[in-house]
Amino acid sequence: MERTLPSSAPHYYVLEMFPYPSGNIHMGHVRNYTLGDVLARYKRACGFTVLHPMGWDAFGLPAENAAIERGVHPGKWTYQNIATMREQLKSIGLSYDWSRELATCDPEYYRYEQRFFLDFLKNGLAYRKESFVNWDPVDHTVLANEQVIDGRGWRSGAPVERKKLSQWFLKISDFADELLEGLTALADWPDKVKIMQEKWIGKSVGVKLKLQVASCRLQVDKIEIFTTRPDTLFGMSFCAISPQHPLAQELATCNLQLATFIEDCNRIGTSEEAIEKAEKKGFDTGLRVKHPFDANLEHPVYVANFVLMEYGTGALFGCPAHDQRDFEFAKKYKLPILPVIVPPEYNWEGDSSAWLDNLLHGDEAYSGDGNVINSSFLNGLSVSEAKEKAIAELVKLGAGKKTINYRLRDWGVSRQRYWGCPIPIIHCNDCGVVPVPENELPVRLPEDVTFDKPGNPLAHHPTWKHVNCPKCGAKAERETDTFDTFFESSWYFARFCSLPSEKEPFNPSANTWLPVDKYIGGVEHAVLHLLYARFFMRALKRCGYLNVIEPFKGLMTQGMICHETYMDADGNWLYPEEVIKKNSPVTVGRSEKMSKSKKNVVDPRAIITSYGADTARLFMLSDSPPDRDLEWTEAGIDGAWRYVNRLWRLLLEPDASGVPDEATVLKLRQETHKTIARVTQDIERFHFNKAIARIRELSNLLGSLSGKPLGGARTEAVNAIIHLIAPFMPHLAEELWQQLGNKDMIVTRPWSKADPALCVEEEITIAVQVNGKLRATVSCAPDATREEMESLALAQKNVQDFIHAKQIRKIIVVPGKIVNVVAA
């Protein structure tokens, strides 16, 4: 039951990242969704029409793996988990609009993303090409770079391999500049997330140049490279090309050793992380390239396992003295290391021999700023000056051109698995790639699949993939790859603006609701999900679906929930409840993020059963700022439980008989209204722990006045506390409201308003500094004049001691905040 609001009421959209239906909620879910629920309840009480929906990120490999392990269909397993988790979420008291619930595995949901894909294809935003991919040999599927952790698949943990496949891509790189520039407008995003996206997009200004291959009889007589460090070209000692570079492939046709080396390189994944952590290896091709500034200088050409074909041009020059990767490579293969940059404290003619000697015999390259040496016409310049001059010279020689490059690469969306959205494409021998006609959408997954063979069940399904070509009618085959699950999560927030029964992907009101006012989730999604969603909105706008380009106006990344770890004498992890029963010695480890692998988890169901949902909510919200990690302790949850019980008794306590003391009444009323004002401000700023602390201060004051007659001031304070706790502890607030004889529900009541006249501070504390250092504090009236503040400050003994025998040059006064005495 909610308040009826006028149609002109302002809109507010609060959303938490929707969960994968794994079977049971965990404490991370409880914290994440409670944060959003507090905001949703508060905004409703403030008169906003609030959109606060919930759905399920329901496709993915875990369901497919469960099908293999349990012999159950992925769909059945998924929907059973959804039903279980839905009830668990409802038990927390989350105020979701369940009428908008969606599951991404529902054909009525994914039919629209199939339609989007066809429009992306029509508008040049989707294409198919052969490329090297990260291949998980256990899950038999492609992984995005971000899904490769320490060189292993994020689900299976298997070492990732490099494999060449025909894949579907979305042209996210077309929006690189737009995505980068758009970050500046996201004022309500954490800086750390914007920095992570900025680095991932990786815009860099450099030069593209061609190195002449000396005495080459091959088809490739020049090697094109891109570099952001042309200032270090005189420090070049080798050229390295990717194992997938056309020149490497050509050389391998007649060199068995090189072909074998390339095969070994392909056993490393394509992610930068995997490349960086692998041992740097190279194969000397015997070729040499000429130096772009001095044709008399020649350098060896290596095929190197750390060069990616997907980045830049698939070739680079190595400057070992000033790049750690090149440094390690040069040491391994005994290549020259020529320093061409010295730190700023040295000029190019100065004596830096000791520093240079340490560099050459040390273990690290120098990558800092400085001055150029050993570099002909660049000598004596700073790094920035040398870059510009080197580029200008390369352009003048016709050897290169200034270029902007991006780290961001197009998004490969093909996955070789069953439990995903089918890609709506048909392959015909005569017509080629043919889109499925829109009136035949959705392309549904077949129900009768088996998982008894490795790989994608769709690829070896006996009938599903066999169709007639929509163009010529000849026999053809469906695309058997399915979409990356990030495809589904890149637009679900926009679908929530419509009811599931609506037959268009977006209700016109989506342009009003979007962008999401506050989006809440883990920082681990900073690059993957959030960047893809930002791209998707722009792609949908280009295709005419929406007029919104940024999906999320505000972003809050919540901290993790941590717990002590426990281990028995045999080195086995123990659950917290097992520690109590254990008779043998237990080693208490450090507090870490709750995880099933280390068994340091607490079951939300047990907590809710023992303490109630509101106690769990209170502890989650009061013990730590939302963006910080929360340390789960039994003492903490017990403390929250005791406060809930104390608050129940306090607020139902009858007023004492007698005549109220006017001063006491005024003090209580003032604190009540100040608390309303401060809690309101704290919620707006997402300082939920501070808000709860202020409510506790008011309840403590009320408790200290027990037994004293307070009259209407007590009723006012009790009502205010109930209103203020309602977003945080909704069950307790409603029950208290009813116990006090109210016939309506607190959720239908507007948010409490503070009386400004009762919020005026009688005194404030200001800092007094002498020459910028704090020397005293004084109390004064909030509206004290500059002269009064100066007088109070100068009267302080400590201030007098520090200005003794000195001349006061000036006194800086910031009304209501600080007085700074400048003396010399």
Side-chain angles (χ1 to χ4, degrees):
M1 180 179 179
E2 294 183 13
R3 223 160 23 110
T4 301
L5 298 170
S7 58
S8 59
H11 287 64
Y12 195 88
Y13 187 177
V14 58
L15 182 66
E16 306 90 58
M17 295 180 185
F18 64 170
Y20 181 80
S22 57
N24 289 297
I25 62 171
H26 53 68
M27 279 302 179
H29 289 135
V30 177
R31 189 183 196 198
N32 190 32
Y33 303 140
T34 300
L35 291 172
D37 192 56
V38 169
L39 191 58
R41 288 175 178 275
Y42 164 74
K43 286 294 183 180
R44 287 192 197 97
C46 288
F48 285 81
T49 299
V50 173
L51 179 58
H52 187 214
M54 172 49 72
W56 312 94
D57 193 8
F59 271 139
L61 275 172
E64 205 155 323
N65 292 339
I68 297 170
E69 293 168 12
R70 298 172 175 82
V72 62
H73 190 277
K76 183 178 180 181
W77 183 82
T78 299
Y79 279 108
Q80 285 175 344
N81 290 346
I82 287 174
T84 299
M85 291 179 69
R86 184 193 299 116
E87 291 310 306
Q88 291 173 357
L89 290 179
K90 287 182 176 180
S91 72
I92 306 170
L94 303 172
S95 58
Y96 289 128
D97 179 356
W98 288 102
S99 69
R100 296 175 187 265
E101 181 185 11
L102 60 81
T104 59
C105 62
D106 183 346
E108 292 307 308
Y109 177 85
Y110 67 68
R111 71 182 303 154
Y112 297 118
E113 69 186 59
Q114 291 177 343
R115 179 172 152 188
F116 299 155
F117 178 79
L118 296 180
D119 280 336
F120 291 170
L121 192 62
K122 195 184 304 179
N123 286 274
L125 296 177
Y127 64 95
R128 192 169 186 253
K129 72 169 184 179
E130 274 199 339
S131 72
F132 283 90
V133 296
N134 298 307
W135 180 257
D136 189 314
V138 172
D139 284 333
H140 294 277
T141 188
V142 171
L143 301 176
N145 283 340
E146 302 89 338
Q147 294 168 321
V148 179
I149 311 298
D150 294 331
R152 296 175 179 271
W154 70 326
R155 294 290 189 193
S156 70
V160 170
E161 299 172 359
R162 188 179 302 186
K163 191 173 183 179
K164 197 168 190 178
L165 292 176
S166 288
Q167 300 282 290
W168 286 100
F169 290 83
L170 298 184
K171 277 197 168 182
I172 189 173
S173 62
D174 275 12
F175 297 83
D177 271 326
E178 200 176 323
L179 290 166
L180 195 59
E181 291 164 8
L183 291 172
T184 60
L186 298 175
D188 197 17
W189 276 43
D191 287 339
K192 63 182 177 182
V193 174
K194 291 192 283 187
I195 290 169
M196 290 168 74
Q197 288 210 3
E198 187 177 301
K199 287 183 176 179
W200 191 258
I201 295 167
K203 182 177 182 179
S204 56
V205 178
V207 62
K208 191 174 281 187
L209 64 142
K210 293 182 179 180
L211 300 176
Q212 181 71 43
V213 180
S215 305
C216 181
R217 298 178 181 178
L218 299 169
Q219 292 182 358
V220 181
D221 62 346
K222 290 182 179 179
I223 299 175
E224 187 175 60
I225 66 170
F226 170 81
T227 179
T228 60
R229 295 299 307 272
D231 54 304
T232 63
L233 272 166
F234 282 100
M236 174 181 178
S237 68
F238 66 92
C239 173
I241 61 176
S242 166
Q244 287 76 46
H245 193 283
L247 177 57
Q249 295 293 309
E250 183 179 354
L251 292 170
T253 58
C254 54
N255 188 321
L256 182 59
Q257 284 184 304
L258 176 57
T260 302
F261 175 78
I262 290 173
E263 282 183 20
D264 288 340
C265 292
N266 288 342
R267 294 191 179 94
I268 306 173
T270 65
S271 73
E272 285 183 270
E273 184 181 37
I275 298 296
E276 286 301 316
K277 291 187 176 182
E279 181 188 356
K280 309 300 179 288
K281 294 181 179 179
F283 184 94
D284 191 345
T285 63
L287 299 177
R288 299 290 182 267
V289 289
K290 295 182 178 182
H291 195 281
F293 292 138
D294 187 347
N296 293 318
L297 294 174
E298 294 184 356
H299 303 287
V301 178
Y302 282 82
V303 177
N305 67 347
F306 58 83
V307 184
L308 289 175
M309 194 63 212
E310 293 79 16
Y311 291 88
T313 61
L316 54 82
F317 82 89
C319 178
H322 305 293
D323 182 279
Q324 187 61 31
R325 176 195 55 197
D326 298 346
F327 186 86
E328 293 171 9
F329 189 80
K331 288 271 190 177
K332 182 179 179 71
Y333 292 102
K334 297 180 172 55
L335 298 170
I337 299 175
L338 177 65
V340 292
I341 308 289
V342 290
E345 56 265 31
Y346 300 101
N347 62 52
W348 74 282
E349 294 176 314
D351 184 12
S352 56
S353 56
W355 180 87
L356 294 171
D357 188 63
N358 287 335
L359 173 69
L360 294 172
H361 293 92
D363 296 320
E364 291 186 10
Y366 177 70
S367 57
D369 201 1
N371 301 305
V372 179
I373 61 170
N374 299 326
S375 298
S376 182
F377 63 93
L378 299 178
N379 283 340
L381 299 178
S382 67
V383 167
S384 57
E385 292 169 336
K387 284 181 180 180
E388 291 300 320
K389 191 165 184 178
I391 291 174
E393 185 67 15
L394 288 166
V395 172
K396 178 181 173 182
L397 295 172
K401 62 179 181 178
K402 194 171 185 177
T403 308
I404 294 175
N405 194 46
Y406 298 90
R407 181 177 179 274
L408 182 68
R409 290 296 176 264
D410 285 340
W411 175 14
V413 294
S414 298
R415 297 293 181 268
Q416 295 68 43
R417 61 163 174 255
Y418 165 72
W419 194 236
C421 172
I423 297 176
I425 292 294
I426 292 171
H427 299 282
C428 174
N429 288 334
D430 296 325
C431 304
V433 171
V434 182
V436 172
E438 189 174 321
N439 62 2
E440 294 182 15
L441 300 180
V443 176
R444 295 172 180 263
L445 290 169
E447 292 289 327
D448 56 334
V449 289
T450 59
F451 298 89
D452 52 350
K453 299 178 184 177
N456 184 359
L458 293 177
H460 47 71
H461 191 281
T463 59
W464 180 83
K465 66 180 181 180
H466 300 292
V467 293
N468 294 327
C469 174
K471 276 190 176 181
C472 68
K475 291 183 178 180
E477 287 191 1
R478 292 191 187 280
E479 172 67 70
T480 57
D481 285 354
T482 53
F483 284 131
D484 178 8
T485 54
F486 285 103
F487 204 107
E488 283 86 56
S489 61
S490 292
W491 69 281
Y492 79 104
F493 46 86
R495 179 59 183 167
F496 274 140
C497 298
S498 309
L499 292 171
S501 59
E502 294 185 43
K503 297 305 179 185
E504 285 298 316
F506 307 116
N507 186 294
S509 67
N511 289 313
T512 301
W513 282 114
L514 293 170
V516 175
D517 291 282
K518 186 67 77 173
Y519 194 43
I520 304 167
V523 72
E524 66 270 18
H525 298 292
V527 172
L528 277 167
H529 164 54
L530 292 173
L531 188 62
Y532 290 158
R534 295 183 65 222
F535 153 72
F536 220 89
M537 291 298 284
R538 288 165 167 80
L540 289 174
K541 185 176 188 295
R542 185 175 290 188
C543 294
Y545 283 99
L546 293 166
N547 292 321
V548 182
I549 59 170
E550 287 294 347
F552 314 117
K553 178 183 177 183
L555 174 69
M556 207 294 294
T557 53
Q558 92 280 6
M560 298 181 294
I561 300 183
C562 304
H563 196 293
E564 285 180 336
T565 51
Y566 308 103
M567 190 176 285
D568 66 16
D570 297 323
N572 301 309
W573 297 109
L574 299 172
Y575 287 107
E577 59 269 23
E578 291 179 310
V579 174
I580 302 171
K581 304 172 185 176
K582 201 80 175 174
N583 294 322
S584 56
V586 172
T587 301
V588 179
R590 66 181 183 181
S591 178
E592 297 186 38
K593 176 188 175 183
M594 283 189 181
S595 67
K596 291 180 181 178
S597 62
K598 293 186 178 179
K599 296 187 177 182
N600 62 334
V601 294
V602 176
D603 188 346
R605 295 169 297 177
I607 296 298
I608 292 169
T609 300
S610 301
Y611 295 98
D614 279 1
T615 300
R617 288 171 64 116
L618 175 65
F619 176 65
M620 291 284 188
L621 297 166
S622 64
D623 208 57
S624 176
D627 59 341
R628 304 278 181 85
D629 291 351
L630 183 149
E631 180 69 26
W632 183 276
T633 63
E634 291 303 315
I637 192 70
D638 284 339
W641 166 244
R642 288 195 300 272
Y643 177 69
V644 167
N645 284 276
R646 188 165 67 249
L647 193 62
W648 173 267
R649 294 190 298 269
L650 174 65
L651 298 189
L652 295 182
E653 185 179 284
D655 191 31
S657 59
V659 179
D661 175 68
E662 289 185 10
T664 303
V665 165
L666 179 59
K667 179 183 178 182
L668 178 58
R669 294 201 67 212
Q670 287 175 331
E671 289 306 312
T672 296
H673 286 267
K674 288 176 185 177
T675 301
I676 293 170
R678 291 165 180 165
V679 169
T680 300
Q681 188 177 65
D682 287 334
I683 294 177
E684 290 284 356
R685 294 176 177 175
F686 233 70
H687 297 164
F688 295 165
N689 58 316
K690 288 184 180 180
I692 291 171
R694 297 189 198 280
I695 296 170
R696 293 184 77 146
E697 287 172 5
L698 178 59
S699 66
N700 288 341
L701 173 61
L702 186 62
S704 71
L705 300 175
S706 290
K708 294 182 180 180
L710 301 170
R714 188 182 199 287
T715 302
E716 184 179 46
V718 167
N719 287 347
I721 292 172
I722 294 173
H723 276 80
L724 295 177
I725 67 169
F728 305 100
M729 296 180 283
H731 307 90
L732 178 65
E734 293 295 352
E735 189 63 28
L736 283 167
W737 193 246
Q738 296 299 311
Q739 288 289 325
L740 291 173
N742 297 288
K743 301 302 181 186
D744 59 351
M745 294 181 70
I746 200 77
V747 74
T748 66
R749 290 291 188 106
W751 188 248
S752 297
K753 299 289 185 184
D755 183 343
L758 292 168
C759 292
V760 175
E761 298 286 349
E762 295 177 358
E763 280 193 340
I764 59 172
T765 300
I766 61 171
V768 182
Q769 295 179 339
V770 177
N771 295 331
K773 293 186 178 180
L774 182 66
R775 298 304 181 191
T777 59
V778 296
S779 297
C780 66
D783 57 353
T785 65
R786 287 176 175 269
E787 291 75 16
E788 289 170 335
M789 290 175 66
E790 280 186 25
S791 178
L792 284 167
L794 293 174
Q796 302 305 304
K797 183 180 182 303
N798 206 34
V799 173
Q800 287 292 330
D801 290 344
F802 276 96
I803 63 174
H804 179 67
K806 293 180 181 178
Q807 182 182 353
I808 297 176
R809 299 299 179 110
K810 62 179 176 178
I811 300 177
I812 301 168
V813 178
V814 180
K817 291 187 178 180
I818 194 170
V819 175
N820 184 21
V821 181
V822 181

